[in-house]
Structures are given as C-alpha cells and as structure tokens.
Amino acid sequence: MSRLRFGVIGCGVIGGLHARVLTSYPPLAERARLVAVASPSSQRARRLAAETGSEATDVSALLERSDIDVISVCTPSGLHAELGLRALAAGKHVVVEKPIDVTARAADRLIAGARQAGRALAVISQRRFDPASRMLRSALDAGELGTLTSALVEVPLWRGQSYYDSGDWRGSRALDGGGALLNQGVHAVDLVQWLMGPVVEVAAHTALKGHRGIEVEDVVTASLRHANGALTSLLATTAAYPGRTTRLTVHGDRGSAVIGNDELVYFHAAGPQDDTSAYGAYGAGNQAAERRPAAPAEQRDASGLLPSPHGEQLLDFCDAVAAGRAPGVDGEEGRRALLTVLAVYEAARTGTVTRVPSTTAPDMSPAPSAPMTTEPA
C-alpha cells in the first residue's frame, strides 16, 4: 500500500506534534510520510524541518506542491476552514486540528468544500483513540454499565498570562473563537458525546477570572442534556493553578468508569448475578486493573499529550483514504462538537436553556480565501 505524503501548516506546539508523530510513530511508517512543513515564520519552519527530516517552505508553496497528498492544518482555530478550503482547491485531503473552526458557517463551508472536491476531511479528536476511551466505548456498546444516567467532565488547567500574551490571536474571538472550552475543553465535549450520545440542550455560565486583556472566558460551567436523557456536568478552566489532570466520569445504573489523564483509573460493572438493589459499594471493587488496556509506556510530548492517540487517528485517516470511506472523526463529527460549544456560549450569554442544532451541514459553496498572515499555534 502506497504511503500518503503529508504537509503540515503550522510549526508551533501542535504542528510540531503532528510532524513528530508522522516521522516517529512506528505504525505510520509504511502508511504516511512527512514531506514538508510551512509557517509564516521561516525560522520556525526551518527548525521543525531540521528536527523531522522534512523540508521547510511557505504556506502558498506547500499548497502548490504536487508531491503532497494531505495537508495537516495546525494553525489558530479561526484559520482552519480558510486554509482547509485552499488545500481542497489544490486537490489535497485535509486534516484539521480541533476545533474544526470557530463558527458554524466556517465549518459548513469546509465540510461542503470537502464533499464537492471528493476529498477526505478529518478533525483531530485524538482522545477517542486513547486505549482507555476505546475500552470504555466497547463496554458501553455491550451494555455493561446499564442505562447511562450521568457524566462529569473536568478540565482544570492552568495557562499563565504569558500564554495569552505570546500571540495576538490567543484569547481573541476572531481567531481563538472561545477560551477554556473551545480551545482546551472541546476534546472533552467531543469525547463525552461519543460515549454518552449527542447533547441536545445546555445551560451554562462563563467568567474571566484569572487573566486580563483577552476577549474570551477562562472559566465555564455547564449542564448538558443528552438525547437519551442522561445529564453531564462540565467544568473547563485555564485558571486552575497549577493545573490538574482532565477527568471524565461516566455513570450508569449498573456501573461507573473514570478516565483520568487519558488512563482508566476506575471501572466497576455489576455482574449478571450481582444485587444492585441496595446502597452500592461506594467506590469499592475497582476493576480498572483487570480492564485497563495493555499499552507500552509513552513519553508525553512538550504539549503534555501522548503521541499514540494522534498517531492512531492519522492511521485511521490513512485507512479511510485507502478504503474510500469517511474518517472516524469526519467534518460532521467536528461540527457536532463545535455546535455544542457554541450552544454553551449562547446559553451563558442569554441566561437561558439553549438547544443544540441537530441538522447536518448544508451543501454550501466554499468562499474565496485570503492569505494567512497570523503565526500558527
């Protein structure tokens, strides 16, 4: 099977992770090859190219190259659709980092552009590819936790003022789109919907408490109601010094599970003969060690992320292109997570319970794009 040839736009933290995964994740060795990286900063591009054994170039030149099949867009969020559409117009397949973009209209244009070009589009949601998440999804599909009743999402991170001061796009509505939820917490929103089902309505509050000079929130709390009636309580913040691990807890009437920092830390499912009519076991009987997927030890990237989930999602993308199927997390899935986040913001703005749109993206003609002038994330 021939290898897909990748180009990465954006040579910051996430672009660097994509480039390193493409060049060092063993299962990708026979499926993908990094050809070149691009950035408005030639210094950043040269540095990443030297590290990964690829070529450094500029964005326009990268898009025009005939020896590249896939463009991986790792720029500020508000540029994802713009650059994705330019890549599609050049005949490339497209991978965009989360979120798909910062507005529903931009997401719709990108999805329509991929549909019209006949090219694959994937949105990075790598936590679906964590071994712990996959194990929990299998358990839920098998009904091991019974009827799903509730979930708890915690994203208590710290980003210092210097983080927001490091780029004029950070914390801006135009390019960041949102704060702690859209930038950092969207992964958790996607994951809880993948496990618990679509969110249909939300109530929420947002605040800016630990930072200055930005247009978006650094704290958000929300109550989410899923289509199946289950409820999720969500907290996302970048003002929780010194930062704690992200946790997702899922409850059902026959079991519960906790994923902390991408690992299964608690799991208990009642057996067929277990009596669940009394008071329960109050957290006893942790079966996580028995259910925890076996995985080799990994060193986290500079961003704090494990390389293998990104690697597994890119491997799924290669399989999708080869098979002519949709990627595991396609544009519609990325749009679903974005619409839920936007509903949270609307609920916080209006103080009312807000419905999440459930329609699929319309078939829109992509708009012309302007050249990128802002440094990628």
Side-chain angles (χ1 to χ4, degrees):
M1 186 177 295
S2 61
R3 292 192 293 177
L4 286 176
R5 300 164 297 180
F6 278 73
V8 174
I9 299 179
C11 298
V13 173
I14 294 300
L17 175 60
H18 277 238
R20 286 186 287 274
V21 168
L22 284 164
T23 54
S24 63
Y25 186 59
L28 276 172
E30 296 182 358
R31 307 301 305 281
R33 178 169 68 90
L34 177 64
V35 174
V37 299
S39 168
S41 167
S42 59
Q43 182 180 7
R44 280 191 174 191
R46 288 195 301 269
R47 186 166 58 241
L48 184 58
E51 178 186 348
T52 57
S54 59
E55 298 180 42
T57 185
D58 60 54
V59 173
S60 294
L62 183 71
L63 292 171
E64 293 171 0
R65 291 183 65 142
S66 61
D67 61 344
I68 289 178
D69 307 303
V70 184
I71 297 294
S72 186
V73 180
C74 302
T75 65
S77 304
L79 297 172
H80 287 178
E82 172 188 316
L83 287 166
L85 286 167
R86 291 176 62 186
L88 291 166
K92 317 300 186 188
H93 302 288
V94 174
V95 175
V96 296
E97 255 296 337
K98 57 77 186 170
I100 186 171
D101 205 281
V102 302
T103 69
R105 182 172 178 81
D108 293 345
R109 290 190 182 279
L110 183 56
I111 293 167
R115 185 184 302 127
Q116 293 163 8
R119 293 293 183 266
L121 169 64
V123 181
I124 292 295
S125 297
Q126 83 278 0
R127 287 199 167 93
R128 293 195 191 190
F129 295 83
D130 291 335
S133 300
R134 288 180 165 184
M135 175 267 146
L136 180 52
R137 175 60 187 262
S138 295
L140 295 178
D141 288 345
E144 293 189 58
L145 301 191
T147 299
L148 293 178
T149 59
S150 62
L152 177 64
V153 174
E154 300 172 86
V155 188
L157 306 178
W158 172 251
R159 298 291 185 270
Q161 186 65 40
S162 61
Y163 168 84
Y164 291 103
D165 293 343
S166 66
D168 57 3
W169 68 273
R170 292 191 188 276
S172 71
R173 294 198 183 280
L175 292 178
D176 225 355
L181 188 57
L182 187 57
N183 195 317
Q184 282 80 22
V186 67
H187 280 306
V189 171
D190 174 76
L191 185 58
V192 78
Q193 291 196 108
W194 186 57
L195 296 171
M196 300 284 291
V199 173
V200 295
E201 65 180 25
V202 303
H205 291 89
T206 60
L208 179 61
K209 297 294 293 181
H211 302 90
R212 64 183 184 278
I214 62 175
E215 300 173 342
V216 296
E217 86 289 349
D218 61 8
V219 183
V220 56
T221 61
S223 176
L224 316 177
R225 186 170 70 84
H226 297 267
N228 60 7
L231 303 178
T232 288
S233 179
L234 178 148
L235 163 71
T237 180
T238 53
Y241 185 83
R244 293 175 38 243
T245 59
T246 298
R247 290 172 68 90
L248 169 66
T249 302
V250 173
H251 299 130
D253 64 0
R254 292 192 64 79
S256 298
V258 181
I259 296 175
N261 204 26
D262 309 321
E263 298 179 358
L264 187 70
V265 297
Y266 181 83
F267 185 91
H268 185 97
Q273 307 305 319
D274 289 352
D275 180 7
T276 62
S277 62
Y279 293 99
Y282 292 95
N286 190 355
Q287 303 162 359
E290 310 161 25
R291 306 299 293 265
R292 191 175 294 126
E298 284 188 85
Q299 183 174 355
R300 293 181 180 270
D301 192 78
S303 61
L305 299 173
L306 295 171
S308 64
H310 268 84
E312 287 299 309
Q313 184 166 4
L314 291 175
L315 188 60
D316 170 79
F317 184 82
C318 293
D319 290 343
V321 171
R325 63 166 173 85
V329 187
D330 61 8
E332 292 286 356
E333 289 294 294
R335 181 180 187 268
R336 186 193 307 277
L338 172 65
L339 291 181
T340 301
V341 171
L342 295 179
V344 169
Y345 289 153
E346 181 67 8
R349 185 186 69 83
T350 62
T352 61
V353 174
T354 301
R355 296 283 301 179
V356 180
S358 58
T359 56
T360 58
D363 188 2
M364 302 172 65
S365 298
S369 56
M372 182 180 70
T373 57
T374 305
E375 171 57 40

